Amino acid sequence: MTVATADRGLLMGLAYRLLGSVQEAEDAVQEAYTRWYALPDRRRAEIGSPTGWFVTVVSRICLDVLGSARARRERYVGQWLPEPVPDSARWTSQTVHDSAADPAERVSLDESISMALLVVLESMTPAERVAFILHDVFAYTFPEIGEIVGRSPQACRQLASSARRRVRERGHDRVPPEEHAHIVAAFRSAWESGDLTALVELLDPDATGVTDGGGAVSAAVNPIEGAERIAQFLLGVRRRQPDLAVRTAVVNGQAGLVARDAAGRTLAVVSVDVVRGLVRRVWAMRNPAKLTTWPPERPGQA
Protein backbone atom coordinates (compact mmCIF):
# COMPACT_ATOMS: atom_id res chain seq x y z
CA MET A 1 0.00 0.00 0.00
CA THR A 2 1.27 3.48 -0.83
CA VAL A 3 0.63 6.65 1.14
CA ALA A 4 -1.80 7.73 -1.59
CA THR A 5 -4.05 4.71 -0.97
CA ALA A 6 -5.53 6.32 2.11
CA ASP A 7 -7.02 9.73 1.40
CA ARG A 8 -4.63 12.13 3.13
CA GLY A 9 -7.01 15.01 2.40
CA LEU A 10 -9.77 13.19 4.25
CA LEU A 11 -7.50 12.57 7.21
CA MET A 12 -6.22 16.15 7.31
CA GLY A 13 -9.80 17.42 7.12
CA LEU A 14 -10.79 15.21 10.03
CA ALA A 15 -7.77 16.08 12.17
CA TYR A 16 -7.99 19.83 11.50
CA ARG A 17 -11.68 19.95 12.43
CA LEU A 18 -10.95 18.00 15.60
CA LEU A 19 -7.90 20.01 16.68
CA GLY A 20 -8.24 23.47 15.11
CA SER A 21 -4.53 23.44 14.29
CA VAL A 22 -2.84 22.63 10.99
CA GLN A 23 0.44 21.64 12.65
CA GLU A 24 -1.24 19.38 15.18
CA ALA A 25 -3.38 17.88 12.40
CA GLU A 26 -0.29 17.14 10.31
CA ASP A 27 1.39 15.55 13.33
CA ALA A 28 -1.66 13.36 14.00
CA VAL A 29 -1.87 12.18 10.39
CA GLN A 30 1.87 11.52 10.23
CA GLU A 31 1.67 9.51 13.45
CA ALA A 32 -1.11 7.40 11.89
CA TYR A 33 1.06 6.66 8.85
CA THR A 34 3.96 5.77 11.11
CA ARG A 35 1.76 3.29 12.96
CA TRP A 36 0.51 1.85 9.66
CA TYR A 37 3.99 1.14 8.35
CA ALA A 38 5.02 -0.29 11.71
CA LEU A 39 2.44 -3.06 11.25
CA PRO A 40 3.68 -6.38 9.88
CA ASP A 41 2.89 -6.86 6.18
CA ARG A 42 0.50 -9.70 7.01
CA ARG A 43 -1.45 -7.53 9.45
CA ARG A 44 -1.80 -4.72 6.88
CA ALA A 45 -3.04 -7.21 4.30
CA GLU A 46 -5.75 -8.36 6.71
CA ILE A 47 -7.24 -4.85 7.04
CA GLY A 48 -10.24 -4.74 4.73
CA SER A 49 -10.66 -0.95 4.78
CA PRO A 50 -7.36 0.93 5.14
CA THR A 51 -9.24 4.26 5.04
CA GLY A 52 -11.46 3.11 7.91
CA TRP A 53 -8.37 2.03 9.85
CA PHE A 54 -6.75 5.42 9.30
CA VAL A 55 -9.89 7.33 10.35
CA THR A 56 -10.08 5.28 13.53
CA VAL A 57 -6.42 5.79 14.41
CA VAL A 58 -6.40 9.52 13.59
CA SER A 59 -9.59 10.03 15.65
CA ARG A 60 -8.05 8.28 18.64
CA ILE A 61 -4.81 10.25 18.34
CA CYS A 62 -6.81 13.50 18.18
CA LEU A 63 -8.88 12.45 21.19
CA ASP A 64 -5.67 12.05 23.19
CA VAL A 65 -4.36 15.43 21.97
CA LEU A 66 -7.65 17.13 22.89
CA GLY A 67 -7.42 15.63 26.36
CA SER A 68 -4.20 17.56 27.03
CA ALA A 69 -5.04 20.67 25.00
CA ARG A 70 -6.97 22.48 27.74
CA ALA A 71 -4.02 22.42 30.11
CA ARG A 72 -1.66 23.63 27.36
CA ARG A 73 -4.01 26.46 26.39
CA GLU A 74 -4.25 27.62 29.98
CA ARG A 75 -0.53 28.40 29.68
CA TYR A 76 -1.02 30.17 26.34
CA VAL A 77 -0.21 33.87 26.34
CA GLY A 78 -3.38 35.89 25.67
CA GLN A 79 -6.40 34.60 23.78
CA TRP A 80 -6.22 31.25 21.94
CA LEU A 81 -7.97 30.96 18.57
CA PRO A 82 -8.13 28.11 16.07
CA GLU A 83 -5.67 28.42 13.21
CA PRO A 84 -7.26 30.01 10.11
CA VAL A 85 -6.80 28.28 6.76
CA PRO A 86 -7.05 29.68 3.22
CA ASP A 87 -9.36 28.45 0.50
CA SER A 88 -6.61 26.28 -0.98
CA ALA A 89 -6.47 24.27 2.26
CA ARG A 90 -10.12 23.20 2.26
CA TRP A 91 -9.67 19.49 2.80
CA THR A 92 -12.50 17.20 1.84
CA SER A 93 -15.05 15.73 4.24
CA GLN A 94 -16.09 13.14 1.68
CA THR A 95 -16.36 9.72 3.24
CA VAL A 96 -17.44 6.20 2.41
CA HIS A 97 -20.34 6.53 4.84
CA ASP A 98 -22.42 9.13 3.03
CA SER A 99 -25.75 7.45 3.84
CA ALA A 100 -25.10 7.14 7.57
CA ALA A 101 -26.47 10.42 8.86
CA ASP A 102 -29.78 12.19 8.59
CA PRO A 103 -29.28 15.13 6.17
CA ALA A 104 -30.81 17.38 8.83
CA GLU A 105 -27.89 16.47 11.07
CA ARG A 106 -25.21 17.24 8.50
CA VAL A 107 -23.19 20.42 8.21
CA SER A 108 -21.79 21.59 4.89
CA LEU A 109 -18.11 21.63 4.01
CA ASP A 110 -17.93 25.40 4.41
CA GLU A 111 -19.78 25.35 7.73
CA SER A 112 -17.64 22.55 9.12
CA ILE A 113 -14.42 24.59 8.90
CA SER A 114 -15.92 28.04 9.61
CA MET A 115 -14.21 29.95 12.39
CA ALA A 116 -17.57 30.34 14.11
CA LEU A 117 -18.00 26.56 14.32
CA LEU A 118 -14.38 25.93 15.31
CA VAL A 119 -14.74 28.39 18.19
CA VAL A 120 -17.90 26.59 19.36
CA LEU A 121 -16.06 23.27 19.12
CA GLU A 122 -13.49 24.63 21.57
CA SER A 123 -16.23 24.82 24.22
CA MET A 124 -17.00 21.10 23.90
CA THR A 125 -15.51 18.16 25.72
CA PRO A 126 -13.10 16.07 23.63
CA ALA A 127 -15.65 13.25 23.39
CA GLU A 128 -18.43 15.63 22.28
CA ARG A 129 -16.19 17.13 19.64
CA VAL A 130 -15.14 13.78 18.21
CA ALA A 131 -18.68 12.38 18.19
CA PHE A 132 -20.09 15.52 16.53
CA ILE A 133 -17.42 15.74 13.83
CA LEU A 134 -17.49 12.05 12.97
CA HIS A 135 -21.29 11.94 12.80
CA ASP A 136 -22.46 15.35 11.59
CA VAL A 137 -19.56 16.09 9.24
CA PHE A 138 -18.19 12.70 8.21
CA ALA A 139 -21.48 10.76 8.49
CA TYR A 140 -20.22 7.87 10.59
CA THR A 141 -22.89 5.88 12.40
CA PHE A 142 -23.01 5.86 16.19
CA PRO A 143 -22.04 2.17 16.39
CA GLU A 144 -18.99 2.99 14.25
CA ILE A 145 -18.16 6.01 16.42
CA GLY A 146 -18.55 3.85 19.52
CA GLU A 147 -15.96 1.46 18.14
CA ILE A 148 -13.58 4.35 17.54
CA VAL A 149 -13.91 6.15 20.87
CA GLY A 150 -14.64 3.15 23.08
CA ARG A 151 -18.16 4.15 24.14
CA SER A 152 -21.61 2.72 23.56
CA PRO A 153 -23.61 3.87 20.51
CA GLN A 154 -26.18 5.40 22.87
CA ALA A 155 -23.50 7.40 24.68
CA CYS A 156 -22.11 8.64 21.36
CA ARG A 157 -25.59 9.66 20.24
CA GLN A 158 -26.01 11.71 23.43
CA LEU A 159 -22.58 13.31 22.98
CA ALA A 160 -23.36 14.34 19.41
CA SER A 161 -26.80 15.63 20.41
CA SER A 162 -25.31 17.76 23.20
CA ALA A 163 -22.69 19.13 20.80
CA ARG A 164 -25.36 19.87 18.17
CA ARG A 165 -27.35 21.91 20.68
CA ARG A 166 -24.29 24.06 21.37
CA VAL A 167 -23.80 24.64 17.66
CA ARG A 168 -27.45 25.57 17.09
CA GLU A 169 -27.50 27.92 20.07
CA ARG A 170 -24.53 29.83 18.64
CA GLY A 171 -25.56 29.61 15.00
CA HIS A 172 -29.01 31.17 14.81
CA ASP A 173 -29.72 34.13 12.54
CA ARG A 174 -26.51 33.90 10.53
CA VAL A 175 -26.78 35.39 7.05
CA PRO A 176 -26.37 33.71 3.62
CA PRO A 177 -22.84 33.60 2.14
CA GLU A 178 -23.58 36.39 -0.36
CA GLU A 179 -24.69 38.79 2.37
CA HIS A 180 -21.75 37.75 4.54
CA ALA A 181 -19.34 38.57 1.71
CA HIS A 182 -21.04 41.92 1.08
CA ILE A 183 -20.71 42.94 4.73
CA VAL A 184 -17.07 41.81 4.86
CA ALA A 185 -16.34 43.96 1.79
CA ALA A 186 -18.01 46.96 3.44
CA PHE A 187 -16.08 46.26 6.64
CA ARG A 188 -12.82 46.24 4.72
CA SER A 189 -13.67 49.51 2.96
CA ALA A 190 -14.53 51.26 6.22
CA TRP A 191 -11.36 49.97 7.90
CA GLU A 192 -9.09 50.99 5.01
CA SER A 193 -10.65 54.45 4.71
CA GLY A 194 -10.52 55.04 8.47
CA ASP A 195 -14.28 55.67 8.62
CA LEU A 196 -15.11 55.25 12.31
CA THR A 197 -18.84 55.87 11.82
CA ALA A 198 -19.14 53.28 9.06
CA LEU A 199 -17.26 50.69 11.10
CA VAL A 200 -19.46 51.23 14.14
CA GLU A 201 -22.59 50.96 12.01
CA LEU A 202 -21.44 47.60 10.63
CA LEU A 203 -20.74 46.20 14.10
CA ASP A 204 -23.34 44.87 16.49
CA PRO A 205 -23.45 47.18 19.56
CA ASP A 206 -22.53 44.16 21.71
CA ALA A 207 -19.88 42.83 19.33
CA THR A 208 -16.78 41.09 20.64
CA GLY A 209 -13.28 41.20 19.15
CA VAL A 210 -10.61 38.59 19.94
CA THR A 211 -6.98 38.77 18.83
CA ASP A 212 -4.47 35.93 19.10
CA GLY A 213 -0.83 37.00 19.20
CA GLY A 214 0.47 33.98 21.08
CA GLY A 215 2.85 36.21 23.02
CA ALA A 216 4.94 36.60 19.86
CA VAL A 217 3.44 39.87 18.57
CA SER A 218 1.30 42.65 19.99
CA ALA A 219 -2.35 41.73 20.48
CA ALA A 220 -5.15 42.53 22.89
CA VAL A 221 -4.74 40.25 25.90
CA ASN A 222 -8.46 40.29 26.68
CA PRO A 223 -11.50 40.30 24.38
CA ILE A 224 -12.57 43.74 23.17
CA GLU A 225 -16.21 44.43 23.98
CA GLY A 226 -18.54 46.80 22.10
CA ALA A 227 -18.73 48.25 18.59
CA GLU A 228 -17.05 51.56 19.44
CA ARG A 229 -14.06 49.95 21.17
CA ILE A 230 -13.53 47.43 18.37
CA ALA A 231 -13.71 50.16 15.71
CA GLN A 232 -11.25 52.33 17.64
CA PHE A 233 -8.91 49.37 18.04
CA LEU A 234 -8.94 48.63 14.29
CA LEU A 235 -8.33 52.26 13.38
CA GLY A 236 -5.50 52.37 15.91
CA VAL A 237 -3.88 49.46 14.08
CA ARG A 238 -4.00 51.44 10.83
CA ARG A 239 -2.54 54.54 12.44
CA ARG A 240 0.38 52.52 13.79
CA GLN A 241 0.93 50.81 10.43
CA PRO A 242 -0.24 53.12 7.62
CA ASP A 243 1.22 50.83 4.92
CA LEU A 244 -1.13 48.02 5.95
CA ALA A 245 -2.89 46.51 2.91
CA VAL A 246 -6.18 44.76 3.67
CA ARG A 247 -7.57 42.30 1.14
CA THR A 248 -10.69 40.16 1.06
CA ALA A 249 -10.02 36.42 0.93
CA VAL A 250 -11.69 33.11 1.64
CA VAL A 251 -10.91 32.28 5.26
CA ASN A 252 -12.13 28.91 6.52
CA GLY A 253 -14.66 28.65 3.72
CA GLN A 254 -16.11 32.14 4.19
CA ALA A 255 -15.28 35.70 3.19
CA GLY A 256 -12.67 37.20 5.49
CA LEU A 257 -9.77 39.63 5.46
CA VAL A 258 -6.00 39.33 5.17
CA ALA A 259 -3.75 42.22 6.28
CA ARG A 260 -0.22 42.45 4.88
CA ASP A 261 2.62 44.94 5.18
CA ALA A 262 4.34 46.79 2.33
CA ALA A 263 6.60 43.79 1.69
CA GLY A 264 3.58 41.51 1.27
CA ARG A 265 4.09 39.63 4.52
CA THR A 266 0.90 38.39 6.19
CA LEU A 267 0.44 40.16 9.53
CA ALA A 268 -3.13 39.15 10.35
CA VAL A 269 -6.00 37.03 9.11
CA VAL A 270 -9.43 38.24 10.21
CA SER A 271 -12.64 36.21 10.37
CA VAL A 272 -16.02 37.70 11.23
CA ASP A 273 -19.33 36.28 12.36
CA VAL A 274 -22.28 38.10 10.80
CA VAL A 275 -25.61 37.79 12.62
CA ARG A 276 -28.79 39.59 11.53
CA GLY A 277 -26.82 41.72 9.13
CA LEU A 278 -24.24 42.98 11.65
CA VAL A 279 -20.77 41.82 12.61
CA ARG A 280 -21.21 40.09 15.97
CA ARG A 281 -17.70 38.69 16.41
CA VAL A 282 -14.28 39.57 15.02
CA TRP A 283 -11.46 37.05 15.28
CA ALA A 284 -8.00 38.32 14.34
CA MET A 285 -5.11 35.89 14.09
CA ARG A 286 -1.75 37.61 14.64
CA ASN A 287 0.38 34.73 15.90
CA PRO A 288 3.03 34.12 13.19
CA ALA A 289 3.14 30.43 14.08
CA LYS A 290 -0.51 30.16 13.03
CA LEU A 291 -0.10 32.08 9.77
CA THR A 292 2.28 29.69 8.01
CA THR A 293 -0.39 28.58 5.50
CA TRP A 294 -0.79 32.22 4.35
CA PRO A 295 2.08 32.96 1.94
CA PRO A 296 3.35 36.50 1.27
CA GLU A 297 1.60 38.43 -1.47
CA ARG A 298 3.70 38.77 -4.60
CA PRO A 299 3.92 42.15 -6.35
CA GLY A 300 0.92 42.71 -8.61
CA GLN A 301 -1.03 39.88 -6.98
CA ALA A 302 -3.65 42.06 -5.27
Side-chain angles (χ1 to χ4, degrees):
M1 172 184 172
T2 65
V3 171
T5 305
D7 188 344
R8 192 177 184 90
L10 168 69
L11 301 177
M12 277 297 299
L14 170 63
Y16 173 72
R17 289 168 174 85
L18 289 177
L19 301 175
S21 164
V22 175
Q23 183 59 59
E24 289 182 349
E26 289 175 341
D27 290 345
V29 172
Q30 187 57 46
E31 172 63 21
Y33 278 108
T34 299
R35 294 185 189 184
W36 172 262
Y37 286 112
L39 293 173
D41 290 345
R42 185 176 65 180
R43 175 71 185 100
R44 288 202 300 270
E46 292 171 349
I47 296 173
S49 173
T51 297
W53 183 93
F54 272 100
V55 167
T56 297
V57 172
V58 167
S59 298
R60 289 173 177 169
I61 292 171
C62 290
L63 192 58
D64 289 342
V65 173
L66 287 169
S68 62
R70 187 156 297 177
R72 285 186 286 112
R73 287 167 191 170
E74 286 177 355
R75 299 190 297 270
Y76 193 81
V77 178
Q79 301 295 306
W80 188 95
L81 287 173
E83 182 177 347
V85 293
D87 185 52
S88 59
R90 288 175 58 206
W91 304 286
T92 179
S93 64
Q94 184 66 32
T95 172
V96 295
H97 299 280
D98 283 336
S99 62
D102 183 335
E105 295 181 349
R106 298 296 305 276
V107 293
S108 72
L109 177 60
D110 286 345
E111 290 175 317
S112 71
I113 61 167
S114 72
M115 188 60 63
L117 178 59
L118 291 175
V119 169
V120 175
L121 291 174
E122 285 299 312
S123 69
M124 299 179 186
T125 67
E128 283 178 331
R129 187 165 183 163
V130 172
F132 174 78
I133 292 297
L134 285 175
H135 183 266
D136 286 43
V137 178
F138 290 83
Y140 275 73
T141 65
F142 290 119
E144 290 169 328
I145 297 170
E147 290 278 338
I148 291 172
V149 302
R151 302 201 183 198
S152 70
Q154 294 76 15
C156 292
R157 183 183 298 275
Q158 291 174 351
L159 288 167
S161 178
S162 173
R164 199 175 301 119
R165 280 196 301 272
R166 293 180 190 239
V167 172
R168 288 173 178 166
E169 287 169 2
R170 302 280 187 96
H172 64 282
D173 296 327
R174 289 204 170 95
V175 301
E178 298 78 10
E179 184 178 350
H180 180 99
H182 176 75
I183 291 171
V184 168
F187 194 81
R188 170 200 172 188
S189 177
W191 187 12
E192 280 203 308
S193 65
D195 191 334
L196 175 63
T197 301
L199 269 178
V200 171
E201 289 177 349
L202 286 165
L203 287 156
D204 185 285
D206 297 319
T208 301
V210 177
T211 60
D212 179 342
V217 296
S218 62
V221 175
N222 298 310
I224 307 166
E225 305 289 347
E228 181 87 21
R229 292 187 63 199
I230 294 172
Q232 293 283 10
F233 176 84
L234 291 171
L235 295 185
V237 170
R238 283 206 61 81
R239 283 193 297 271
R240 290 190 296 274
Q241 186 139 6
D243 65 344
L244 196 69
V246 182
R247 305 282 184 257
T248 55
V250 177
V251 181
N252 286 73
Q254 294 183 313
L257 301 171
V258 180
R260 295 184 172 95
D261 62 15
R265 292 172 297 198
T266 301
L267 300 183
V269 173
V270 179
S271 303
V272 302
D273 190 24
V274 180
V275 179
R276 295 180 187 151
L278 295 173
V279 175
R280 175 72 60 83
R281 296 175 186 87
V282 180
W283 298 290
M285 178 54 67
R286 293 268 293 123
N287 186 349
K290 296 184 182 182
L291 294 174
T292 57
T293 58
W294 297 85
E297 186 178 72
R298 295 186 298 273
Q301 191 175 5

